[in-house]
Amino acid sequence: MLDANTRQLVKATVPVLKEHGVTLTSHFYQRMFRHNPELKHLFNQGHQASGQQQTALALAVLGYAENIDDPSVLAPVVGRIAHKHASLGIRAEHYPIVGGHLLASIREVLGDAASDELIAAWAAAYGQLADILIAAEAELYRNAALAEGGWSGWRPFKVGRKVRESDEITSFYLYPVDGAPVPSFVPGQYISVRGRAAGGALIQPRQYSLSDAPNPEYLRLSIKREQGDASRPDGLISNWMHDEVEEGTLVELAPPFGDFVLDTDKDSPVVLISGGVGLTPMVSMLNQLVQEQPTRRVAFVHAARNRQVHALNDHVRSLAERHPQLNVQVFYEHASNDDRLGVDYEHQGRIDLAAIRDTAIVPDADYYLCGPVPFMRAQLASLQELGVPAERIHYEVFGSHVLAAA
């Protein structure tokens, strides 16, 4: 436990972190990659270019400083970070390197305001947080390695099938090269794929949700090709997967991780709400539900622009035909003349949960949400307005974003 003086010094930096947090974290990443370029292989360079990681880290540091008197309130956030770190292969030996650059960045950015006493306080605070994360990650690594079909580090898989699901999304069926069992996982979890970008010069990991229920033969990923724009570059690994990875190609995978998971101990209703490629963990959950809990009531609510970019729609609707407890409600924001109302989709425009209250707002239901940040904020606000208790809402956010950020 940190002493009172240390905690007070850390809390005193909160105003500075609110105003200059992103400046600090941007300096930190530049410094670390300059001195330890090998760490670029652990960090998403696309999110670096867009500023997502810098903002996410700034908010995390601020949250830690604000709650330094009782870090236990950050347990859910720390747990989610630990799963991300384990999926990327961040190990205990990386923490001293990161800590050294973070403390040096505080001194360099704050200048004379960064007294030796303040640096010592932040060193102690960082050490406490590092110990918490290292312990949590060690347990995740241990469990992943000891699980049936599990492993540690990176394991080669072969692409057995590559299936185009829409204009943007392609599914990859991945089979272990060594012939050993495929690990089980909890629907909602993800795996990291390690691929080569920039002409092979840069190794990059990317995390993708598993899009099928657990089975003994393969792991399935349904990956959207990420097209860049003025604010962000093209997705390095998603484009590599679409353009260069074919049936027979070997790819390296980390074990399944993630704490956004379906609660299979309950038999109460489930409402799955997704936007775009956010449907991938929802389809994994749905497949598990109809296989293992076929009487559990499920509402599947999805938003897409139109049929051309809507993946796995035929699969979901075929499940609904066979399972009367499943209700499907699809919204197309920009339906075309070729999109069939009542066949491909049920509603035009963006998701309006109030308009489908009888389907989507179910007593004692658990709500699972996944999609882009603006979509997630809108659905959270809608659920809250409709009286859904916060403890029944579970969500996964794409990328390095923090949902609570403005």
Side-chain angles (χ1 to χ4, degrees):
M1 185 67 180
L2 301 174
D3 62 52
N5 184 58
T6 297
R7 298 199 306 274
Q8 187 57 42
L9 284 166
V10 170
K11 286 191 291 185
T13 63
V14 166
V16 176
L17 292 173
K18 286 182 176 178
E19 186 174 357
H20 303 293
V22 175
T23 300
L24 171 64
T25 56
S26 297
H27 181 91
F28 155 74
Y29 279 119
Q30 291 170 8
R31 189 184 204 281
M32 183 173 66
F33 292 147
R34 185 169 64 252
H35 290 276
N36 294 92
E38 74 280 2
L39 294 183
K40 288 183 178 181
H41 298 315
L42 289 174
F43 292 86
N44 186 320
Q45 295 304 302
H47 291 170
Q48 281 287 312
S50 69
Q52 284 186 36
Q53 280 186 338
Q54 295 89 330
T55 300
L57 178 59
L59 289 167
V61 171
L62 173 61
Y64 182 53
E66 289 178 323
N67 292 279
I68 196 69
D69 286 329
D70 184 14
S72 65
V73 302
L74 299 175
V77 176
V78 169
R80 186 155 293 182
I81 292 172
H83 277 273
K84 293 285 186 182
H85 283 183
S87 182
L88 294 171
I90 292 175
R91 303 278 177 169
E93 59 267 26
H94 294 126
Y95 280 89
I97 299 172
V98 171
H101 289 300
L102 181 60
L103 295 175
S105 296
I106 292 173
R107 189 181 292 277
E108 291 162 3
V109 171
L110 298 187
D112 293 341
S115 65
D116 290 344
E117 188 179 24
L118 178 64
I119 295 299
W122 264 106
Y126 175 81
Q128 174 181 264
L129 181 59
D131 288 344
I132 293 170
L133 285 167
I134 288 169
E137 290 154 17
E139 183 176 1
L140 291 174
Y141 284 129
R142 183 167 53 251
N143 292 341
L146 295 178
E148 183 178 0
W151 71 94
S152 178
W154 299 92
R155 179 180 174 189
F157 279 66
K158 181 174 70 174
V159 178
R161 294 175 60 204
K162 180 179 179 181
V163 179
R164 184 176 181 271
E165 307 285 7
S166 76
D167 285 358
E168 297 179 338
I169 297 173
T170 294
S171 289
F172 299 83
Y173 292 74
L174 306 167
Y175 296 79
V177 172
D178 55 20
V182 172
S184 187
F185 59 91
V186 185
Q189 290 190 308
Y190 52 78
I191 55 175
S192 284
V193 176
R194 188 162 70 172
R196 290 189 174 271
L202 182 64
I203 299 173
Q204 284 280 275
R206 290 294 183 274
Q207 294 158 333
Y208 298 108
S209 297
L210 291 150
S211 64
D212 202 352
N215 70 84
E217 297 182 23
Y218 60 82
L219 299 172
R220 187 178 76 177
L221 302 177
S222 300
I223 298 174
K224 177 187 176 186
R225 180 194 293 274
E226 295 293 345
Q227 300 284 13
D229 54 31
S231 63
R232 58 187 177 88
D234 289 344
L236 292 173
I237 300 305
S238 71
N239 280 273
W240 174 73
M241 291 288 291
H242 277 253
D243 294 337
E244 300 185 39
V245 172
E246 302 294 345
E247 293 181 358
T249 300
L250 299 185
V251 296
E252 292 183 302
L253 305 182
F257 290 107
D259 63 351
F260 171 69
V261 295
L262 176 68
D263 188 342
T264 56
D265 292 331
K266 293 183 177 181
D267 59 7
S268 52
V270 176
V271 180
L272 307 174
I273 304 174
S274 56
V277 75
L279 63 75
T280 54
M282 302 309 184
V283 171
S284 176
M285 293 181 184
L286 177 61
N287 287 353
Q288 177 82 346
L289 284 164
V290 297
Q291 291 175 18
E292 303 295 332
Q293 297 179 292
T295 62
R296 195 170 177 183
R297 180 179 174 182
V298 183
F300 190 94
V301 183
H302 181 64
R305 298 195 305 277
N306 52 53
R307 184 175 60 169
Q308 298 304 311
V309 297
H310 184 185
L312 301 168
N313 192 21
D314 289 343
H315 169 72
V316 171
R317 293 186 181 280
S318 70
L319 291 179
E321 290 176 359
R322 301 195 304 272
H323 298 275
Q325 82 283 5
L326 170 59
N327 187 299
V328 177
Q329 299 289 322
V330 172
F331 288 73
Y332 279 177
E333 185 173 1
H334 302 296
S336 71
N337 292 332
D338 295 330
D339 297 334
R340 300 163 294 176
L341 182 64
V343 177
D344 301 313
Y345 69 107
E346 283 70 36
H347 310 277
Q348 294 193 40
R350 298 183 177 183
I351 285 182
D352 182 353
L353 295 178
I356 56 169
R357 178 192 292 264
D358 292 344
T359 297
I361 308 304
V362 183
D364 300 323
D366 278 284
Y367 296 77
Y368 296 85
L369 288 73
C370 187
V373 171
F375 170 87
M376 297 284 287
R377 290 194 179 122
Q379 304 320 311
L380 276 172
S382 182
L383 289 173
Q384 290 165 358
E385 290 172 2
L386 291 167
V388 176
E391 63 270 17
R392 291 194 173 274
I393 304 173
H394 320 276
Y395 57 84
E396 178 84 307
V397 181
F398 294 164
S400 302
H401 295 286
V402 177
L403 194 59

